[in-house]
Amino acid sequence: MGLDTRPLSTLHEKGSYEVADFEVPTGREEEWRFTPLRRLKGLHNGTADASGKVITEIEAPAGIRVETVGRDDERLGKAFVPADRVSAQAWASFAEATVVTVPKEVEASAPVVIRRHGEDASGAAYGHTTVVLEPFAKATVVLTHRGSAVFADNVEFVVGDSASLSVISLQDWADDAVHVSQQHARLGRDARFVSHNISIGGDVVRVSPSVAYAQPGGDAELYGVYFVDGGQHLEHRLLVDHTVPSCRSRVDYRGALQDQDAHAVWIGDVIIRAEAEGTDTYELNRNLVLTDGTRVDSVPNLEILTGEVAGAGHASASGRLDDEHLFYLQARGIPFDEARRMVVRGFLGQLVERIEVAEVREKVAAAIEAELDRPERDR
């Protein structure tokens, strides 16, 4: 479990389970330059008081195993190596982990729901979750985050051969919450993985999903929706690492921002290694700026180390509401405020509609409507 160096020009140049192998970030590093370190409340430098409390509640249908295990459980740490200091700190600091197992050839009859609720933000808490789908299994997992907390965690998804996993992660924290999360998926042969990350709450939220392929035929789709209010910092950093032939990935993240000092960060890093011939990949990020005073940082990165690819591309766009769209709607008698809502609803709704759990989909749609309906004086 020593230092793992990766000689590539990426944001993930090394990995280690040891906190000491990572220098304390200063904000000048490429992987930290967009993150407001002072607002992380010590998660990044080891000064956080580990007295926080985040409660975990789990609902699972029959046939799904849910266990609380100690740090020595051999199933932990199979899908990832921490790629930054906070992830390594979370790995070193959790006391108990949650392991969810979907047995071979079992199709879950209902979603597995993992609820995390923070009780206060005066101290830090750490967590670890491992979800294992054995070969030919199929399941949906919903992660919800609410309340006040300073929380860092690692989440592993081990998707077996020909298994299919859909994950919905909802960050709906209170206004004072800080959350730094690493979400790692490892796909077996012909495995399918679909991820939805929805961030609408919290003071500082930094979520880092990653996908690694163990065998050919893996298929990953990563979607994200976020709505950033004044003073909020919502950051999503993705890594899709194509290391084997004939795998596919699609990334589509969309966000809306409003009011002073709303800050959205999206970093998309896709690597196609020399041995990953036949890769098919595309990543997209789009941001809709609704008012003055906001900031968007969107950086798509694509590294191709082989000439034998099925397809590869990336795109990023950030801008204001389209005046022509608004004019078209207003010319048909729709008031400006309603026209504005319709454009934003359509922009984000294309991804919201993909959320397969109706309860979550309706909650996200309602949260977007609530944001758009709030008078500026209340925002």
Side-chain angles (χ1 to χ4, degrees):
M1 290 192 176
L3 186 64
D4 173 24
T5 58
R6 303 165 185 151
L8 291 171
S9 58
T10 74
L11 302 180
H12 310 267
E13 295 179 340
K14 63 181 181 180
S16 176
Y17 295 93
E18 302 296 331
V19 178
D21 286 337
F22 298 95
E23 296 181 359
V24 175
T26 64
R28 293 187 293 271
E29 303 84 2
E30 181 63 29
E31 63 267 37
W32 291 103
R33 68 186 179 99
F34 296 118
T35 307
L37 297 178
R38 293 181 180 178
R39 292 164 61 183
L40 293 185
K41 300 186 178 180
L43 288 178
H44 65 297
N45 60 16
T47 63
D49 177 13
S51 61
K53 191 173 183 180
V54 174
I55 304 299
T56 300
E57 299 177 348
I58 302 176
E59 293 181 8
I64 309 301
R65 298 198 301 269
V66 178
E67 304 167 77
T68 300
V69 302
R71 297 183 51 84
D72 58 347
D73 192 286
E74 62 180 10
R75 292 168 293 182
L76 307 182
K78 296 296 186 183
F80 83 112
V81 178
D84 64 42
R85 186 181 175 93
V86 177
S87 179
Q89 185 69 64
W91 170 262
S93 301
F94 75 88
E96 295 180 331
T98 298
V99 177
V100 177
T101 304
V102 184
K104 183 178 180 180
E105 300 180 350
V106 168
E107 180 173 348
S109 59
V112 178
V113 181
I114 303 174
R115 298 187 180 92
R116 299 198 186 277
H117 187 274
E119 295 193 334
D120 68 77
S122 61
Y126 302 93
H128 192 97
T129 304
T130 297
V131 177
V132 179
L133 265 70
E134 295 181 351
F136 299 95
K138 184 176 182 180
T140 297
V141 174
V142 178
L143 303 166
T144 66
H145 307 87
R146 295 188 175 92
S148 296
V150 176
F151 186 54
D153 69 331
N154 291 294
V155 186
E156 301 179 87
F157 305 108
V158 182
V159 188
D161 294 350
S162 297
S164 178
L165 174 62
S166 178
V167 175
I168 304 164
S169 182
L170 174 62
Q171 287 70 242
D172 189 18
W173 294 103
D175 291 342
D176 60 350
V178 176
H179 185 198
V180 181
S181 181
Q182 315 286 323
Q183 300 177 356
H184 316 268
R186 183 176 184 272
L187 308 189
R189 183 180 296 274
D190 298 327
R192 177 168 170 77
F193 176 72
V194 179
S195 167
H196 298 269
N197 259 292
I198 304 102
S199 297
I200 53 178
D203 178 45
V204 176
V205 174
R206 173 174 155 139
V207 181
S208 302
S210 66
V211 176
Y213 300 85
Q215 297 290 335
D219 189 335
E221 297 182 3
L222 283 71
Y223 302 107
V225 172
Y226 46 93
F227 203 119
V228 194
D229 274 329
Q232 271 190 308
H233 178 97
L234 302 183
E235 182 170 347
H236 301 88
R237 310 181 70 93
L238 288 79
L239 170 65
V240 181
D241 193 356
H242 286 274
T243 57
V244 298
S246 304
C247 291
R248 175 182 178 272
S249 66
R250 291 292 186 272
V251 174
D252 191 346
Y253 270 60
R254 303 184 189 186
L257 301 87
Q258 66 184 7
D259 295 341
Q260 189 67 33
D261 296 326
H263 189 191
V265 177
W266 180 88
I267 309 294
D269 198 3
V270 176
I271 306 171
I272 305 175
R273 299 180 186 262
E275 58 271 29
E277 297 180 353
T279 292
D280 181 9
T281 181
Y282 194 85
E283 61 173 346
L284 172 66
N285 177 232
R286 298 173 65 193
N287 296 282
L288 195 56
V289 177
L290 303 180
T291 69
D292 293 332
T294 67
R295 174 182 171 183
V296 177
D297 292 295
S298 180
V299 185
N301 302 300
L302 177 58
E303 300 180 55
I304 305 175
L305 305 179
T306 176
E308 301 296 326
V309 297
H314 60 178
S316 170
S318 300
R320 292 185 172 275
L321 289 167
D322 191 316
D323 290 338
E324 291 187 5
H325 289 171
L326 294 176
F327 177 79
Y328 176 87
L329 294 171
Q330 288 180 275
R332 281 148 181 80
I334 300 173
F336 173 81
D337 287 343
E338 180 58 27
R340 175 177 177 268
R341 278 194 290 269
M342 290 176 67
V343 172
V344 177
R345 191 185 301 133
F347 174 70
L348 299 178
Q350 294 178 15
L351 296 188
V352 174
E353 290 172 359
R354 289 180 174 270
I355 300 172
E356 62 186 69
V357 178
E359 181 182 352
V360 180
R361 183 173 64 248
E362 293 166 2
K363 178 176 178 56
V364 174
I368 293 171
E369 292 293 330
E371 294 288 358
L372 293 171
D373 286 340
R374 288 169 60 189
E376 185 173 354
R377 64 180 181 273
D378 294 336
R379 297 203 292 257

